């Protein structure tokens, strides 16, 4: 067994700087709204220059998506670790409930509902969000294909990948989000997963 390479001082400093920028941006965006916060303010709160900020993030929008793959990582972990006889949809459904209820161990975020609220009506963030879901679908299709020993471009595999992220994707859509109270998100997303497992009526 080989040991994990130790993080050097330079790598640690870079990681901490990136984490600080992302944390301060998230806090300020939630407090005041994305459009009301400037990149210069985020940099100032993090004690770095704007030039340094752009070393870590290509755009202001990227600050919102600093951890864009964290949900996908969790989905893949649940799929890999699900008990025998548990369907992919049921495994992801349980994760969704934990995220919405705030009961996921080690999760200190405000959940997907708060993230959707942060996106708001900003067109640039909406475009970036759609790109994120497309990347999720592609990687999840590859994961499912590896598990089944097939191709990620098989229609059933690609459709399954798309369906597993659909409840999250639709919940963050502005038209849906505006009609669902925060305390109704769990019921709504549960109904979506039930439809995924049982199929559409009619």
């Amino acid at each position: 067994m080989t040991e994990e390479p130790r993080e050097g001082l330079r790598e640690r400093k870079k990681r901490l700087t990136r984490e600080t920028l992302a944390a301060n941006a998230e806090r300020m965006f939630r407090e005041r709204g994305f459009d009301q916060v400037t990149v210069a303010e985020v940099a100032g709160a993090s004690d770095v220059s704007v030039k340094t900020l752009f070393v870590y993030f290509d755009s202001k929008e990227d600050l919102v998506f600093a951890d864009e793959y964290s949900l996908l990582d969790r989905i893949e972990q649940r799929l890999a670790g699900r008990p025998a006889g548990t369907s992919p949809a049921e495994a992801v459904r349980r994760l969704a409930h934990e995220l919405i209820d705030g009961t996921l161990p080690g999760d200190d975020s405000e959940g997907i509902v708060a993230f959707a609220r942060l996106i708001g009506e900003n067109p640039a963030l909406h475009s970036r969000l759609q790109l994120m879901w497309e990347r999720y679908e592609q990687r999840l299709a590859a994961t499912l294909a590896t598990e089944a020993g097939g191709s990620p471009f098989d229609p059933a595999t690609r459709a399954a990948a798309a369906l597993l992220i659909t409840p999250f994707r639709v919940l963050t859509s502005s038209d849906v989000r505006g009609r669902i109270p925060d305390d109704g998100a769990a019921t709504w997303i549960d109904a979506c997963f039930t439809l995924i497992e049982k199929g559409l009526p009619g």
Side-chain angles (χ1 to χ4, degrees), residues 60-77:
K60 182 181 175 184
E61 289 76 23
D62 281 346
L63 285 163
V64 176
F65 295 89
D67 297 317
E68 70 173 301
Y69 290 108
S70 62
L71 173 58
L72 180 57
D73 289 340
R74 286 168 172 159
I75 290 173
E76 292 184 326
Q77 288 167 6

Side-chain angles (χ1 to χ4, degrees), residues 134-162:
E134 183 177 338
R135 289 171 174 170
Y136 270 40
E137 181 182 316
Q138 292 170 352
R139 200 174 102 182
L140 192 53
T143 298
L144 293 174
T146 299
E147 180 182 292
S151 166
F153 302 105
D154 177 81
T157 302
R158 191 56 177 260

